């Protein structure tokens, strides 16, 4: 019989209990015992500790049946707060959520520099302001997670951010040395995939999320774990070649997928073709509504090339769920059927193709969820999105 250290077993049991409470939102001790097959004595001892720590709360459930009113356990959302940061070219976005992943406050700051030292100072200032503002809660800020639009290694080193021209940046260490909080640094597409799994697709172990904004990135959840590849660089799928000897890409290759299907490529083309500065989604929608044939044909072509890339992804990964994160697709939900109609290979298998309902908030909400996961020390989270 294999035995383990008592403290290790206690930690595992604690993780199981917290995970189940998060999953059910509210659950009784008796149902908790049945769900994870632990004795009531073990449940009672662990629950007592969690109550004392302020991580969970008790609620007496009101009902009309005869008998004792059940006492329900739930996570104390206000015990602490997670800070998610989306560090993008031209803007830094901040979202603070409670321990249930519910956003409490959000803000965005215009970024007029790419200088690392200036951006680091700005991040430190903003984080310390949040830290001071929420210091009266039991655990204050429980962690900070930063979404990076570039290559992030398994050790959380930022190896390359194309639009900032950053190489081998130690943002995690630099922040932790100044703010005295746990900091996590992750690629934005990985965090988008994590958010989709955590907030919506709870029954999915294998999920892909393709983000189509400034390029095309791919976040992958395989067996409920982020898939990052050997160095952590997996998911740079925008540089998959879909048109041999096609358009020249900044990566050095020709015919990369993101040159044909990303929103940035479409925006660049229309900005030049239509001679419009500060092009917006609303303007593109207006052109489509007005029956502009050139814009309609461009969208049709983008969906065609999108389908080519998706067909490759499906054949490689055989995902349960494939989520497309694109504002243009959300504006035109009929686009999803057009894409599906292009996926007619007899060997392509997936359970569900969906447009993200979270949108551009996905990476920052994924950042909040990542910080919560580490704080609660659980393998996976099942949180309810506020729009549900």
């Amino acid at each position: 019989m294999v035995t383990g250290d008592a403290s290790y077993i206690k930690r595992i049991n604690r993780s199981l209990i917290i995970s189940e409470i998060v999953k059910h939102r509210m659950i009784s001790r008796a149902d908790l015992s049945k769900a994870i097959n632990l004795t009531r004595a073990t449940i009672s001892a662990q629950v007592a500790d969690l109550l004392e720590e302020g991580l969970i709360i008790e609620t007496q459930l009101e009902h009309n049946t005869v008998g004792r009113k059940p006492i329900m356990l739930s996570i104390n959302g206000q015990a602490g707060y997670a800070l998610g940061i989306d560090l993008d070219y031209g803007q830094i976005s901040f979202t603070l959520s409670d321990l249930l992943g519910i956003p409490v406050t959000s803000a965005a700051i215009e970024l007029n520099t790419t200088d690392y030292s200036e951006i680091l100072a700005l991040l430190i200032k903003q984080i310390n302001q949040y830290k001071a503002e929420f210091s009266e809660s039991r655990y204050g800020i429980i962690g900070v997670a930063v979404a990076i639009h570039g290559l992030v290694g398994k050790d959380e080193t930022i190896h390359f951010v194309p639009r900032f021209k950053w190489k081998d940046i130690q943002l995690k260490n630099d922040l932790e040395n100044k703010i005295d909080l746990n900091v996590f640094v992750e690629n934005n597409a990985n965090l988008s995939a994590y958010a989709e799994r955590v907030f919506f697709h709870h029954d999915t172990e294998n999920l892909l999320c393709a983000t189509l904004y400034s390029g095309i990135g791919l976040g992958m959840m395989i067996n409920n774990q982020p898939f990052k590849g050997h160095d952590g660089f997996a998911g740079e799928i925008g540089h998959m070649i879909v048109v041999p000897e096609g358009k020249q890409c900044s990566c050095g290759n020709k015919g990369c997928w993101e040159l044909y299907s990303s929103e940035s490529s479409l925006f660049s083309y229309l900005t030049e073709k239509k001679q419009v500065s500060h092009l917006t989604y609303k303007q593109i929608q207006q052109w489509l509504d007005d029956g502009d044939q050139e814009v309609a044909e461009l969208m049709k072509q983008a969906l065609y090339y999108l389908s080519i890339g998706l067909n490759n992804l499906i054949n490689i990964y055989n995902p349960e769920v494939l989520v497309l994160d694109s504002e243009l697709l959300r504006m035109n939900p009929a686009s999803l059927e057009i894409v599906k109609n292009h996926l007619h290979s007899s060997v392509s298998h997936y359970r569900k193709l969906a447009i993200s309902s979270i949108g551009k908030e996905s990476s920052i909400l994924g950042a909040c969820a990542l910080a919560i996961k580490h704080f609660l020390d659980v393998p996976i989270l099942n949180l309810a999105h506020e729009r549900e």
Side-chain angles (χ1 to χ4, degrees):
M1 178 179 178
V2 179
T3 59
D5 179 77
S7 61
Y8 175 74
I9 294 173
K10 183 177 181 180
R11 179 184 172 187
I12 295 298
N13 289 341
R14 175 190 173 95
S15 179
L16 289 171
I17 289 169
I18 293 176
S19 294
E20 205 66 21
I21 294 174
V22 172
K23 176 182 177 181
H24 289 277
R25 319 289 187 254
M26 298 181 73
I27 189 171
S28 68
R29 287 172 174 79
D31 288 339
L32 193 54
S33 178
K34 293 175 185 176
I36 54 181
N37 199 27
L38 290 176
T39 67
R40 292 198 178 193
T42 299
I43 294 292
S44 294
Q46 290 269 9
V47 164
D49 288 344
L50 292 171
L51 286 168
E52 185 177 352
E53 295 169 23
L55 279 179
I56 64 173
I57 54 177
E58 292 181 313
T59 304
Q60 194 164 54
L61 195 63
E62 296 292 337
H63 65 104
N64 298 322
T65 60
V66 177
R68 184 178 179 182
K69 297 175 182 178
I71 296 176
M72 309 298 285
L73 305 171
S74 57
I75 295 294
N76 180 7
Q78 286 71 51
Y81 298 89
L83 180 58
I85 301 174
D86 187 355
L87 178 53
D88 201 359
Y89 183 79
Q91 179 174 287
I92 307 178
S93 301
F94 300 84
T95 290
L96 195 84
S97 81
D98 65 15
L99 294 185
L100 296 172
I102 299 172
V104 174
T105 183
S106 295
I109 296 176
E110 186 177 352
L111 199 57
N112 297 311
T113 180
T114 60
D115 181 77
Y116 176 67
S117 60
E118 292 181 37
I119 292 175
L120 176 63
L122 180 59
L123 287 172
I124 291 170
K125 177 183 176 182
Q126 294 299 316
I127 292 170
N128 280 330
Q129 286 181 1
Y130 282 111
K131 187 177 176 182
E133 185 177 353
F134 290 86
S135 61
E136 293 184 4
S137 62
R138 178 71 177 262
Y139 294 97
I141 304 297
I142 53 91
V144 178
V146 186
I148 299 295
H149 296 246
L151 298 179
V152 180
K154 287 183 176 180
D155 62 355
E156 299 179 75
T157 296
I158 300 173
H159 287 279
F160 183 51
V161 180
R163 302 191 76 178
F164 287 143
K165 307 300 183 186
W166 289 357
K167 290 185 178 180
D168 299 326
I169 296 294
Q170 299 291 337
L171 178 63
K172 174 184 173 71
N173 293 340
D174 292 341
L175 284 177
E176 287 185 336
N177 289 336
K178 294 293 185 179
I179 63 174
D180 192 29
L181 292 172
N182 290 324
V183 175
F184 309 96
V185 177
E186 184 57 274
N187 169 266
N188 67 301
N190 288 343
L191 289 173
S192 291
Y194 189 64
E196 294 291 342
R197 166 59 186 83
V198 165
F199 289 101
F200 283 100
H201 302 282
H202 297 161
D203 298 325
T204 301
E205 292 187 356
N206 297 288
L207 178 147
L208 305 182
C209 179
T211 58
L212 309 179
Y213 298 112
S214 58
I216 299 182
L218 182 70
M220 295 168 279
M221 295 291 292
I222 307 297
N223 296 325
N224 273 334
Q225 297 297 322
F227 179 78
K228 300 184 179 183
H230 177 67
D231 294 311
F233 302 161
E236 292 300 313
I237 203 69
H239 297 287
M240 169 177 61
I241 296 172
V242 296
V243 181
E245 295 302 314
K247 299 176 185 177
Q248 181 67 52
C249 182
S250 59
C251 77
N253 284 326
K254 294 181 178 180
C256 290
W257 190 24
E258 64 182 40
L259 299 180
Y260 297 86
S261 297
S262 68
E263 291 190 355
S264 61
S265 65
L266 189 142
F267 267 68
S268 295
Y269 178 86
L270 286 177
T271 296
E272 183 177 350
K273 190 72 175 178
K274 298 285 191 177
Q275 294 294 298
V276 176
S277 58
H278 307 296
L279 182 60
T280 64
Y281 290 105
K282 185 177 180 180
Q283 176 64 73
I284 293 177
Q285 185 65 64
Q286 188 63 55
W287 284 328
L288 291 172
D289 292 342
D290 291 343
D292 188 305
Q293 289 301 308
E294 183 178 38
V295 178
E297 184 60 32
L298 185 63
M299 281 291 293
K300 180 181 177 182
Q301 187 180 64
L303 292 175
Y304 170 71
Y305 284 114
L306 177 62
S307 304
I308 291 176
L310 295 179
N311 185 75
N312 293 339
L313 293 182
I314 291 167
N315 286 334
I316 293 170
Y317 292 103
N318 180 216
E320 290 178 72
V321 175
L322 177 50
V323 180
L324 306 178
D325 190 359
S326 161
E327 187 62 29
L328 287 176
L329 294 183
R330 269 187 297 280
M331 287 164 42
N332 299 276
S335 300
L336 191 63
E337 287 304 314
I338 296 174
V339 171
K340 287 180 179 179
N341 290 335
H342 285 304
L343 301 175
H344 42 62
S345 169
S346 61
V347 297
S348 293
H349 294 284
Y350 62 94
R351 179 169 63 81
K352 183 177 182 181
L353 180 67
I355 298 174
S356 172
S357 56
I358 309 178
K360 288 189 173 182
E361 298 174 347
S362 61
S363 62
I364 203 165
L365 289 180
C368 291
L370 181 65
I372 294 169
K373 171 190 179 296
H374 283 286
F375 174 69
L376 295 179
D377 193 20
V378 294
I380 192 67
L381 289 169
N382 291 314
L383 298 174
H385 192 262
E386 61 176 355
R387 294 175 186 167
E388 288 185 317

